[in-house]
Amino acid sequence: QVQLMESGGGLVQAGGSLRLSCVASGRAFSNAIMYWYRQAPGKQRELVAQVTSGGTTDYQVPDQGRFTITGDNRKNAVYLQIDSLKPEDTGVYYCRWRSRTGPEQYWGQGTQVTVQT
């Protein structure tokens, strides 16, 4: 069993930055892929970025230059830095842990990000 705890969300002004954190307990980050998703009000959850335990990253948002995902194997954590925040970044951000060797996966409870003008 893996428990994921996200933190770092909040209310920020447009143009600001946030660093979201997700710490996994119960299982190591090694041999896993960790993801950040977001769900805007009234919209489907979408993949923002992913990082493997080896450090390989991939981004799925159009303006990916504003996002930086990093993983920390020692802390079993993944981070998402969001710069130049826009109102359309508003939503709940979720962390997901997926095993690279099987179907096991877990989701966090999410952290709310609200960007105001």
Side-chain angles (χ1 to χ4, degrees), residues 15-16 18 23 36 49 55-56 60 64 82 84 87 106:
L18 277 177
V23 179
W36 280 104
T56 301
Q60 295 296 322
Q64 64 185 44
I82 314 173
S84 303
Y106 301 92

Side-chain angles (χ1 to χ4, degrees), residues 46-72:
E46 63 174 351
L47 175 62
V48 176
Q50 65 186 63
V51 61
T52 69
S53 54
T56 301
T57 61
D58 186 46
Y59 297 87
Q60 295 296 322
V61 286
D63 52 351
Q64 64 185 44
R66 299 190 296 113
F67 298 82
T68 305
I69 188 170
T70 54
D72 187 329

Side-chain angles (χ1 to χ4, degrees), residues 13-16 63 66 82-90 115-116:
Q13 295 288 329
D63 52 351
R66 299 190 296 113
I82 314 173
D83 298 317
S84 303
L85 280 156
K86 302 177 180 180
E88 50 263 45
D89 293 322
T90 293
V115 183
Q116 63 181 19

Side-chain angles (χ1 to χ4, degrees), residues 35-38 45-48 92-94 96 107:
Y35 305 79
W36 280 104
Y37 288 75
R38 68 181 178 185
R45 193 174 298 185
E46 63 174 351
L47 175 62
V48 176
V92 181
Y93 284 71
Y94 296 91
R96 174 188 175 214
W107 289 87

